[in-house]
Amino acid sequence: MINKVVKNADEAIKDIKDNMTLMLGGFGLCGIPENCINALVKKGVKGLTCISNNAGVDDFGLGLLLQTRQVKKMISSYVGENAEFERQMLSGELEVDLIPQGTLATRCMAAGYGMPVVFTPAGVGTEIAQGKEVRKFKFNGTEKDYLMEHAFDSDFAIVKAWKGDTAGNLVYRSTARNFNPMMAMAGKITIAEVEHLVPAGELDPDHIHTPGIYVHRIFQGEKYEKRIEQRTVRKK
Amino acid sequence: MLDKNGIAKRIAKEVKDGMYVNLGIGIPTLVANYIPEGINVELQSENGILGMGPFPFEGDEDADLINAGKQTVTLLNGSSIFDSAMSFGMIRAQKVDLTILGAMEVSENGDIANWKIPGKMVKGMGGAMDLVASAKNIIVAMQQVNKAGESKLLSACSLPLTGVHCIKKVVTELGVYDILSTGGFKLLERAPGISIEQIKNSTKGKLIIEGDVPEMVI
């Protein structure tokens, strides 16, 4: 087995440089690579372009990289719940490219599947269609317009899984899966941080979500806060 | 005039046995509380759940298990988890039978705006553009009149669009409307105690009223 294990987050991100493009897994604060984000804050790399569905909250997740002004551009689908983000965006300090959530997922998927473009109906007739090629296709019995969307091109993908093995195979837990599998497939270099790192052979091959071929570096995160954004409960 | 729960209750009557349903944030989320007994549906949450259950009991919250509104939820028996590409794949391929979402404005030709107020609020579209572009059956749950008393059922949307020619049904605090393919809001039902006159005054787009319009039963 090829061994993908690195010591920690600092080692995993050591060659991430200023002005690079990063994909970061997670939906809201669920399934985000907490340890790598903290390591990026510590390292102080600047001018980053971050592809991530959301931008964290003010004091957690990607919000930490925004506080320190390390992000030049965000490519996301939803960025509410982050006052600092809104301030930087409205003042023009931060470039923001908002794209539909399914388009975001599919542009990651296209990169991982080796397809330069995909066609999706999301955003036809809206401002996000401006400057994009539109084509008519007949599909499922109806003809309609589709936008041509390009596969993402990123330097690094940073994902978080529940379990991983030394060969880089990954298993996600519950909705912490979200964007992680397709981002893992899409990175030129993919870094996976996991809650539990096990020896190759311990994970059932039938249960692997991301095969190790997509993962270049793996480590067990030092600690996980796993903050809940909206705690909603019923009384017993 | 219906409150938010009233709107949700009326929409719940549109949910049929065997449907896969995606509920948006806000009023649509409340619809889950009013689905009649004996009607079996599976709720889809676009962050990657089919078979979503209610909020967890206090102390059972799981940070790894949230819905598209980032609220802690539970899974019902027979549920499944998948990634975001598959989630929007099933939406695009029209496997989801019914989509219920909120709106800031809807136009008489079925356009919807619900993601951006230029210069004021830019939170992003999330999954809304994907949903409205692909869903075959969309119901909009919304307030018909804003805080300033202005109608949000318009001849043309003033805000940046989320999708075009995609909305076929709207339920508001005042009534239920079909949006005709030829254009116009056709009034199907009035909310309890609401007069035709009130509805006329609160609809800026083309309103179509044919014969006696019944009061809704909820």
Side-chain angles (χ1 to χ4, degrees):
Chain A
M1 275 290 137
I2 302 171
N3 192 329
K4 306 283 176 72
V5 178
V6 295
K7 201 169 66 194
N8 54 29
D10 296 329
E11 191 186 329
I13 64 144
K14 64 178 190 300
D15 47 355
I16 293 183
K17 299 192 175 65
D18 290 354
N19 305 312
M20 280 187 164
T21 298
L22 312 180
M23 284 183 166
L24 296 113
F27 179 93
L29 302 178
C30 183
I32 60 172
E34 297 181 22
N35 290 273
C36 283
I37 291 170
N38 292 337
L40 286 167
V41 171
K42 200 169 82 182
K43 187 173 159 75
V45 279
K46 295 183 300 287
L48 299 174
T49 295
C50 293
I51 302 168
S52 178
N53 190 57
N54 312 91
V57 294
D58 282 319
D59 60 344
F60 194 60
L62 276 179
L64 297 171
L65 283 171
L66 290 164
Q67 293 279 6
T68 49
R69 313 281 176 86
Q70 288 172 261
V71 182
K72 179 180 70 183
K73 182 177 180 180
M74 278 298 307
I75 301 175
S76 304
S77 86
Y78 187 83
V79 292
E81 281 82 63
N82 190 323
E84 176 62 15
F85 184 101
E86 207 160 341
R87 191 197 64 72
Q88 288 185 22
M89 177 169 63
L90 292 172
S91 70
E93 288 165 61
L94 180 70
E95 260 181 82
V96 180
D97 194 1
L98 289 169
I99 62 178
Q101 196 176 331
T103 301
L104 181 72
T106 310
R107 289 175 66 186
C108 295
M109 192 200 76
Y113 278 80
M115 301 183 297
V117 296
V118 288
F119 286 91
T120 170
V124 167
T126 74
E127 65 180 43
I128 72 141
Q130 284 163 16
K132 286 180 186 157
E133 185 174 337
V134 180
R135 285 216 209 155
K136 229 178 241 315
F137 290 109
K138 194 174 176 190
F139 182 70
N140 260 353
T142 47
E143 191 176 67
K144 62 180 184 181
D145 286 337
Y146 290 80
L147 297 184
M148 188 166 85
E149 298 280 3
H150 290 262
F152 279 122
D153 188 9
S154 67
D155 298 297
F156 283 83
I158 306 175
V159 302
K160 190 259 169 180
W162 177 47
K163 282 184 181 174
D165 69 17
T166 51
N169 295 302
L170 303 178
V171 176
Y172 308 94
R173 182 174 174 277
S174 202
T175 56
R177 189 181 320 184
N178 56 64
F179 286 84
N180 284 299
M182 70 259 344
M183 286 187 174
M185 295 172 68
K188 278 198 199 72
I189 298 175
T190 293
I191 298 166
E193 59 170 87
V194 299
E195 286 180 59
H196 307 281
L197 182 63
V198 300
E202 273 199 22
L203 299 176
D204 183 341
D206 274 332
H207 294 168
I208 304 287
H209 294 130
T210 298
I213 192 169
Y214 290 114
V215 175
H216 303 85
R217 301 169 192 173
I218 189 168
F219 69 95
Q220 183 170 308
E222 200 177 319
K223 70 172 177 71
Y224 285 95
E225 179 181 336
K226 301 222 281 186
R227 195 185 291 187
I228 292 174
E229 204 164 329
Q230 307 261 357
R231 188 178 299 273
T232 46
V233 294
R234 281 181 288 169
K235 289 260 180 249
K236 266 191 189 157
Chain B
M1 192 181 301
L2 299 177
D3 61 6
K4 286 177 178 183
N5 283 291
I7 296 173
K9 244 184 212 177
R10 173 58 190 83
I11 291 176
K13 289 175 69 181
E14 305 285 325
V15 178
K16 305 285 184 272
D17 196 51
M19 277 184 167
Y20 292 97
V21 183
N22 180 290
L23 302 177
I25 295 163
I27 301 173
T29 306
L30 300 172
V31 173
N33 301 335
Y34 301 108
I35 295 172
E37 237 172 271
I39 300 279
N40 291 305
V41 299
E42 278 195 31
L43 299 181
Q44 199 252 18
S45 191
E46 64 267 26
N47 58 320
I49 311 174
L50 271 172
M52 178 171 60
F55 295 151
F57 288 119
E58 253 177 324
D60 292 344
E61 314 91 274
D62 179 349
D64 287 339
L65 182 50
I66 62 171
N67 65 14
K70 292 158 194 147
Q71 299 168 310
T72 46
V73 291
T74 54
L75 298 177
L76 299 176
N77 287 342
S79 64
S80 56
I81 296 284
F82 34 85
D83 64 49
S84 303
M86 186 180 281
S87 182
F88 284 95
M90 64 183 73
I91 288 165
R92 219 177 283 120
Q94 301 190 324
K95 304 295 179 188
V96 177
D97 300 292
L98 176 61
T99 294
I100 302 167
L101 77 177
M104 297 171 184
E105 295 177 346
V106 172
S107 79
E108 65 189 32
N109 62 353
D111 294 352
I112 177 172
N114 71 353
W115 73 282
K116 184 180 186 181
I117 303 173
K120 271 191 194 158
M121 186 284 290
V122 187
K123 290 184 189 300
M125 66 292 279
M129 280 193 185
D130 306 274
L131 283 158
V132 300
S134 293
K136 52 190 167 189
N137 193 3
I138 307 173
I139 301 176
V140 166
M142 68 187 290
Q143 301 291 337
Q144 188 163 336
V145 180
N146 67 16
K147 287 188 189 107
E150 297 155 344
S151 174
K152 301 197 280 182
L153 300 185
L154 306 169
S155 47
C157 294
S158 65
L159 296 170
L161 295 177
T162 308
V164 294
H165 308 302
C166 50
I167 308 303
K168 296 194 179 77
K169 191 164 235 170
V170 182
V171 179
T172 76
E173 74 278 21
L174 302 179
V176 181
Y177 308 83
D178 262 351
I179 297 180
L180 303 183
S181 55
T182 47
F185 298 97
K186 185 180 177 187
L187 183 63
L188 301 180
E189 298 172 19
R190 293 171 293 120
I194 298 296
S195 70
I196 296 281
E197 214 43 47
Q198 278 170 289
I199 288 171
K200 277 185 181 163
N201 290 336
S202 305
T203 310
K204 225 173 157 189
K206 184 179 170 192
L207 182 66
I208 299 160
I209 299 170
E210 285 172 3
D212 275 344
V213 178
E215 203 167 271
M216 68 174 78
V217 183
I218 50 170

